[in-house]
Amino acid sequence: MKWLLMILGIVTLLGMGIFIGSVYFPEQVAPIINIFGGDAPNTFGFSEQVDWGGGELLTGLTAYYKLDNSSGVIYDMTRNYDGVNSGASRGQAGIINDGVYFNSSQSDYLHSFGMPIDPLELNFTVSVWLNSTDLTGVHRAVSSLTAITGNSRFNIYTTGNKLGMLQNRDYAISLTGTTVLPLNTWYHVVLVSNDTGITGYLNGVEEIGGTATGDIFYIANQGIHMGAMYFNGALDGDRWDGNIDEVGFWNRSLTEDEIVLLYNSGVGNSYPF
């Protein structure tokens, strides 16, 4: 009986990640997470040793906005590029927990402090969940523009009831999808930029793509904007109508498998994945 209890005790300790005389850690260790709810990153240093199964999505992640908190700072979960809200309604329905609602007639938008993607880097990825309440005309969802000219490092939008993407290099890459977007329904959009052009994914499937050469046009950083296109102190008229949630940025081109992992059969996959 004594030997049986000792064996059970050792098995239990190993299951907890502790080995006699040393410490055992699972292969994937989750980053510090907030155990108190909301978006605010946990500053107390608590972490959970958990195999999340999607740890590869943390590689190259430069900013991630869960958009769960209903007031205060727009938290970047990597703690690098927090932002501010200008008029948007927070604490609204999201694909995962809460999101943010934008009314184009109210000039709502969110603005990040700084730029989570190297302004001169061609290889990066932007992921966002969108829910449109109006699909007439043009509505800008997420964008980063340069000063003076307003050229786009990237621009994700809807045009009519189709997905649109834009990037300015030596010339503009302007793409429009063919799939009819749904009203009042969440859909997942990913823009992947690389040395040869950009590719757009809708709900985990490639929707649009275009090739281009040359560097991205760049003069000065204007940060990231959600819900509107903004540069040099002015808002473009093509503002978002609907909800936005789970916005992420990577300094590398995600693979198709990673994009499918983010889509997660339509229910989303939030930080820390």
Side-chain angles (χ1 to χ4, degrees):
M1 186 66 176
K2 182 187 295 184
W3 285 105
L4 177 60
L5 291 175
M6 290 178 64
I7 292 171
L8 289 174
I10 292 173
V11 171
T12 301
L13 289 173
L14 286 172
M16 295 172 62
I18 302 173
F19 188 81
I20 298 174
S22 63
V23 179
Y24 165 82
F25 294 96
E27 289 185 2
Q28 291 181 336
V29 179
I32 295 174
I33 63 173
N34 175 22
I35 63 173
F36 301 102
D39 277 355
N42 172 20
T43 58
F44 290 88
F46 298 115
S47 62
E48 294 185 3
Q49 310 301 320
V50 180
D51 183 352
W52 291 92
E56 63 270 23
L57 287 171
L58 295 173
T59 302
L61 182 71
T62 56
Y64 197 92
Y65 302 90
K66 294 168 67 71
L67 302 180
D68 284 346
N69 57 323
S70 59
S71 62
V73 174
I74 303 295
Y75 285 110
D76 164 24
M77 302 311 294
T78 73
R79 308 181 181 185
N80 295 313
Y81 301 99
D82 291 343
V84 294
N85 176 32
S86 180
S89 299
R90 300 164 67 183
Q92 306 300 309
I95 184 67
I96 300 175
N97 299 323
D98 292 339
V100 179
Y101 172 75
F102 299 82
N103 184 332
S104 65
S105 65
Q106 302 298 320
S107 301
D108 300 340
Y109 68 94
L110 306 181
H111 178 211
S112 74
F113 298 126
M115 179 65 192
I117 302 168
D118 184 335
L120 300 179
E121 177 58 57
L122 291 173
N123 296 279
F124 63 86
T125 302
V126 183
S127 171
V128 59
W129 280 89
L130 302 173
N131 189 318
S132 302
T133 57
D134 183 8
L135 285 169
T136 59
V138 175
H139 297 274
R140 311 285 179 180
V142 187
S143 62
S144 172
L145 279 71
T146 64
I148 303 177
T149 62
N151 284 339
S152 296
R153 293 206 69 251
F154 70 85
N155 202 318
I156 299 173
Y157 56 94
T158 58
T159 175
N161 55 6
K162 308 293 196 307
L163 175 65
M165 292 184 178
L166 174 67
Q167 186 181 73
N168 291 98
R169 296 195 184 184
D170 289 346
Y171 58 90
I173 312 171
S174 181
L175 306 173
T176 302
T178 58
T179 301
V180 175
L181 299 173
L183 277 172
N184 304 306
T185 301
W186 285 101
Y187 54 95
H188 184 226
V189 175
V190 177
L191 181 153
V192 178
S193 175
N194 57 37
D195 294 339
T196 60
I198 59 174
T199 305
Y201 293 81
L202 177 63
N203 292 336
V205 179
E206 182 176 337
E207 172 74 3
I208 48 181
T211 60
T213 59
D215 296 327
I216 294 175
F217 190 90
Y218 177 74
I219 294 179
N221 174 37
Q222 295 269 110
I224 299 293
H225 287 83
M226 308 174 203
M229 189 170 72
Y230 179 100
F231 69 100
N232 288 350
L235 286 175
D236 179 83
D238 303 326
R239 300 157 195 164
W240 188 255
D241 272 306
N243 292 33
I244 295 178
D245 196 15
E246 303 294 331
V247 186
F249 299 88
W250 288 258
N251 63 5
R252 64 183 180 91
S253 302
L254 294 188
T255 66
E256 290 189 359
D257 286 345
E258 289 171 323
I259 292 167
V260 169
L261 187 60
L262 280 172
Y263 177 59
N264 195 21
S265 301
V267 298
N269 189 353
S270 183
Y271 180 92
F273 312 114

